Amino acid sequence: MTRDYRVLPASRVSGTLRVPGDKSISHRSLMVSALADGTSEVTGFLASEDCLATLNAMRALGVAIEQRSATHVLIHGVGLQGLEAASQPLDMGNAGTAMRLATGLLAAQRFASQLVGDASLMKRPMERVAKPLREMGALVFTNGGTPPVRIHGGRRLHGIDYAMPIASAQVKSALLFAGLYADSATTVVSPAVSRDHSERMLTSFGVRVETDGLRVRLHPPQDLRALDIEVPGDFSSAAFFIVAGLLGADPAGLIIENVGMNPSRTGLVEILTRMGARIEILNARQSGAEPVADLRVHRSALRGIAVPPELVPLAIDEFPVLFIAAACAAGETLISGAEELRVKESDRIAAMAAGFAALGVAHEVQPDGIRIAGLPIGSDTSGPVFTGGEVDSHGDHRIAMSFAVASLRAKATIRILDVANVATSFPGFSALARGIGFDIQER
Ligand code: S3P
């Protein structure tokens, strides 16, 4: 079913809101709890299509999971050796995280598995996990690099010392999950910092994981202890409202409560601050293994910058909405070293550039990023930037939500096509956006 957004220009957002639970942590909470001895209770779970794909996959592997409410889940762990073969291929939907992490987990099982997904996922690269898993001794096959992923199982895995060619948390996590079953320690070295939710969660379940800079070493455990997890709000979902607040908050500021502030995720705050954003971090606290805070976002005049490439992995999912902020800044923004954006749920550089072309935003696409012209330096940055028009999200949730944020600087209605996949990460986005002042209709 295709769905569209019709977003009318709005100029002000105000109030206090909370975004749904973190997607990365929700996926991991299901997989790690499933391997523990005992029952784990997860609150703040993200009941989005992506995480429900993982939930259904874990059930298909023999794990009893009770959903007391959409966001409250009980996982009755089966222990490290307790998973059972699924009777059918596991359908991971749109979720790259689910497929890559599950590949690591299933590579180490006694039984065979097959992983499939939707049209977008079936085109995404899987050799990045399959290749190092083979080095560990696993039998993992892709279809010329993409899904279906076929895993033979029944192999004894060996710990390896793997230098990842890309800073991918999904690859790192897949290897750590496989490493739980290896006959020696597994070491993964990243070329740059990537999100560390797996390391934090496995440690709190009792696994010995040592981190030394960009090097992570996991020692295979005897068992995992069940643990209750409170999932914080997803920083990547908050990102749309952070940029909305910068473009349109009323004088009191827009408040976003209970946001996960893991430093491997918050590169966007650093980038936007360099662009002149005023984002207050309030009530910084710890929620289990993860840092959390409330944010107060003030309307800010932004200026373009060259985004330091080392910040790219720390903001990897936030680039579509950063592109919107950059279009509204005074002066040029240059994004480079971001070729990974081309292999996300869509080619995010191409999808954003096509939207910019439709909405009159000057830009120049580059193989590893984009140059966004921004407004003339010294000009008023509070006026309209985007013409009205029609943009195609290419079925990519983050492209759809980013162009909705553009309505705060639009001259006329923006129609966003193919937005059903917003439900993969952010159920309730349009209602929440309406609640703070967006004029957004979903059809
Ligand atoms: C994720 C890691 C990132 C991110 C994705 C979620 C995760 O991908 O883009 O949305 O939960 O580990 P890569 O690790 O491939 O960069």
Side-chain angles (χ1 to χ4, degrees):
M1 177 181 41
T2 85
R3 299 190 71 78
D4 300 342
Y5 287 151
R6 247 171 76 89
V7 205
L8 275 64
S11 56
R12 226 170 80 133
V13 289
S14 63
T16 299
L17 73 153
R18 283 181 177 235
V19 295
D22 186 277
K23 179 150 75 76
S24 294
I25 298 174
S26 294
H27 282 302
R28 287 160 172 80
S29 72
L30 295 169
M31 292 186 189
V32 176
S33 298
L35 305 181
D37 294 317
T39 298
S40 299
E41 188 167 354
V42 179
T43 48
F45 177 77
L46 173 64
S48 72
E49 287 172 5
D50 274 13
C51 298
L52 293 174
T54 294
L55 190 149
N56 288 332
M58 297 318 295
R59 277 185 177 153
L61 293 164
V63 182
I65 303 179
E66 293 173 64
Q67 237 187 327
R68 292 266 164 99
S69 73
T71 61
H72 181 184
V73 181
L74 256 57
I75 300 123
H76 300 286
V78 294
L80 268 175
Q81 306 300 335
L83 296 179
E84 290 164 14
S87 56
Q88 287 177 18
L90 298 167
D91 185 353
M92 299 310 196
N94 191 244
T97 305
M99 186 174 283
R100 296 206 179 103
L101 270 54
T103 300
L105 186 58
L106 294 171
Q109 304 302 321
R110 290 168 280 108
F111 50 83
S113 305
Q114 204 185 132
L115 302 170
V116 296
D118 72 3
S120 154
L121 185 54
M122 293 304 277
K123 286 192 271 198
R124 294 184 64 188
M126 294 299 149
E127 276 299 314
R128 52 178 63 194
V129 284
K131 184 174 163 288
L133 288 170
R134 281 182 211 121
E135 285 180 30
M136 295 178 79
L139 283 174
V140 179
F141 304 94
T142 65
N143 180 22
T146 56
V149 176
R150 292 196 180 79
I151 300 158
H152 274 215
R155 302 276 293 190
R156 184 97 193 112
L157 301 192
H158 315 294
I160 55 168
D161 196 324
Y162 185 66
M164 282 194 295
I166 41 173
S168 167
Q170 293 178 350
V171 174
K172 176 176 60 176
S173 302
L175 301 183
L176 296 179
F177 284 2
L180 292 169
Y181 295 86
D183 58 11
S184 57
T186 296
T187 302
V188 185
V189 184
S190 306
V193 179
S194 62
R195 66 191 69 191
D196 65 356
H197 304 299
S198 299
E199 295 90 307
R200 288 171 187 253
M201 193 178 292
L202 288 166
T203 301
S204 55
F205 275 73
V207 181
R208 198 171 133 216
V209 183
E210 296 155 357
T211 302
D212 177 12
L214 297 172
R215 173 180 290 268
V216 179
R217 190 173 176 81
L218 177 140
H219 298 269
Q222 295 291 316
D223 47 37
L224 275 70
R225 290 189 303 265
L227 183 80
D228 294 343
I229 298 172
E230 215 178 299
V231 182
D234 197 322
F235 180 87
S236 298
S237 297
F240 301 104
F241 295 113
I242 293 175
V243 174
L246 296 176
L247 299 182
D250 74 0
L254 182 70
I255 297 174
I256 315 170
E257 292 179 335
N258 194 41
V259 183
M261 293 295 287
N262 181 313
S264 63
R265 295 286 299 281
T266 53
L268 181 75
V269 171
E270 170 74 25
I271 295 167
L272 290 170
T273 302
R274 290 178 189 216
M275 294 173 74
R278 229 178 106 215
I279 302 166
E280 284 180 82
I281 299 171
L282 309 169
N283 303 324
R285 57 200 183 268
Q286 196 72 15
S287 172
E290 296 280 346
V292 171
D294 304 327
L295 304 179
R296 186 195 296 269
V297 184
H298 297 272
R299 188 192 277 250
S300 308
L302 301 176
R303 27 177 208 277
I305 61 165
V307 175
E310 63 273 18
L311 291 179
V312 168
L314 309 183
I316 191 67
D317 291 339
E318 286 63 74
F319 277 92
V321 78
L322 176 65
F323 283 23
I324 299 295
C328 303
E332 180 180 280
T333 293
L334 173 64
I335 293 161
S336 56
E339 51 278 274
E340 272 295 298
L341 296 179
R342 296 207 179 266
V343 291
K344 293 295 178 187
E345 287 83 327
S346 69
D347 175 340
R348 288 184 171 159
I349 296 174
M352 288 303 296
F356 277 174
L359 300 179
V361 175
H363 65 280
E364 186 187 297
V365 171
Q366 302 188 330
D368 67 338
I370 193 167
R371 228 177 242 289
I372 300 167
L375 303 168
I377 291 174
S379 65
D380 172 17
T381 55
S382 65
V385 170
F386 304 92
T387 63
E390 192 171 281
V391 300
D392 189 340
S393 81
H394 295 273
D396 185 328
H397 54 134
R398 299 200 199 280
I399 304 293
M401 292 184 274
S402 297
F403 280 111
V405 174
S407 68
L408 293 170
R409 284 284 188 286
K411 286 193 186 81
T413 302
I414 300 176
R415 185 150 170 251
I416 308 167
L417 307 180
D418 198 8
V419 303
N421 272 348
V422 168
T424 61
S425 72
F426 201 153
F429 168 76
S430 59
L432 207 53
R434 251 191 319 278
I436 60 162
F438 279 83
D439 190 344
I440 176 169
Q441 295 154 26
E442 186 168 349
R443 298 187 298 187

